[in-house]
Amino acid sequence: MSVKVKVGIIGGSGFYKLESLRNRQEVPLETPWGEPSSVPVSGDLGGVEVVVIARHGLSHSIAPGEVNYRCGQMTRHSTNVYLSVKIQTLCRANIWALKQLGVTHVVAATACGSLKEEISPGMFVILDSFVDRTQGRAQSFHGNDGLPGVCHIPMEPAFCPHTRQVVIEECRRLDYPHQDTGTCVTIQGPRFSSKAESLMFRSWGCDVVNMTSVPEVVLAREAGLSYSAIALVTDYDCWKQSHGIVDQASVRKVFADNVSRVKTLIEKVVVKIGNNNWDEVIRDNRKLAEGSVVGGS
């Protein structure tokens, strides 16, 4: 029996909803790690079922390092407990919500800064690996505050190569400037890099820098989902002196100027995913996730 395909779409900075979604319906839900960043919206694109979540909330009120954080009745007066709860609930509710809703694929949009001259603002980079420079973000559903056991999930390939190929093919068909591969360095944020940091990331050979791909990609892999990320370049970080400093206003302007292309690309990708058979990929994803858990029985 064929496995039903359902695509989760995670919108980044400047991408909070998908207007072309048909039969839209809000699906409020709670996960073991609190509520997702926004109420998931289900619907379909070209007959393919999708679920849309805004990573930073509908009003961009959630910082990169606090995605999915909900502290209930906890107050800042209980500083130690507050921070403990915060660390334990980071970054897991969105991916779990998508898994809970039957999603098999995730297509995520993310704004990023370029670390290379040839990767200019307005280009798409189809990420294939990452360097993690975050701190204190929970990167597993398992452990003392989660599911039983320890999950040693392999992260090569980090991003689903089959879904990535669909994105690449649609970029080519739409004639969108893009780079087929790219290593992102994910920083903690919400601040931007210092110049020394930016130069260091360049010396490592990274292509772009962002604030949200980790642990999102890790958790998606642990959940057995095919995850791909479309990184829209908004700036040259701060290493390129002639480009000027990077700030939130300039980043949001570039993303706003290009968000229609991001949405068009995602719409085409979703339809293309729905027109292919993913039985083997989905089974392999789930088998890898299940087989990576040790102990806990």
Side-chain angles (χ1 to χ4, degrees), residues 109-245:
T110 177
C112 66
S114 170
L115 296 169
K116 293 185 176 179
E117 183 79 39
E118 64 272 21
I119 304 175
S120 56
M123 282 184 63
F124 292 116
V125 178
I126 317 306
L127 303 180
D128 68 331
S129 197
F130 66 84
V131 174
D132 180 14
R133 292 284 295 174
T134 66
Q135 306 99 38
R137 299 185 186 185
Q139 298 200 18
S140 178
F141 294 113
H142 296 263
N144 292 334
D145 66 328
L147 302 175
V150 178
C151 187
H152 296 286
I153 195 75
M155 288 311 299
E156 175 54 39
F159 299 82
C160 175
H162 309 285
T163 310
R164 285 186 64 258
Q165 189 57 41
V166 172
V167 178
I168 292 166
E169 290 171 1
E170 289 306 304
C171 272
R172 292 172 181 169
R173 196 181 67 79
L174 291 165
D175 198 27
Y176 285 168
H178 69 282
Q179 182 168 291
D180 288 357
T181 60
T183 296
C184 73
V185 53
T186 300
I187 62 175
Q188 178 67 8
R191 69 171 178 83
F192 294 112
S193 306
S194 70
K195 187 173 183 179
E197 289 169 328
S198 191
L199 292 172
M200 178 176 68
F201 301 150
R202 276 173 51 79
S203 74
W204 291 351
C206 297
D207 296 283
V208 295
V209 54
N210 73 2
M211 299 180 189
T212 55
S213 287
V214 182
E216 205 170 81
V217 61
V218 180
L219 294 170
R221 192 153 172 80
E222 194 175 282
L225 309 180
S226 286
Y227 180 97
S228 62
I230 300 170
L232 172 65
V233 179
T234 57
D235 56 86
Y236 278 110
D237 206 31
C238 62
W239 64 269
K240 188 174 180 181
Q241 193 166 350
S242 61
H243 184 69
I245 63 169

Side-chain angles (χ1 to χ4, degrees), residues 192 234-235 243 245-256:
F192 294 112
T234 57
D235 56 86
H243 184 69
I245 63 169
V246 56
D247 57 34
Q248 186 59 17
S250 60
V251 167
R252 288 174 69 86
K253 183 181 186 307
V254 174
F255 203 100

Side-chain angles (χ1 to χ4, degrees), residues 93-105:
N94 284 352
I95 296 298
W96 192 267
L98 294 177
K99 177 181 173 68
Q100 194 170 316
L101 292 170
V103 161
T104 57
H105 296 65

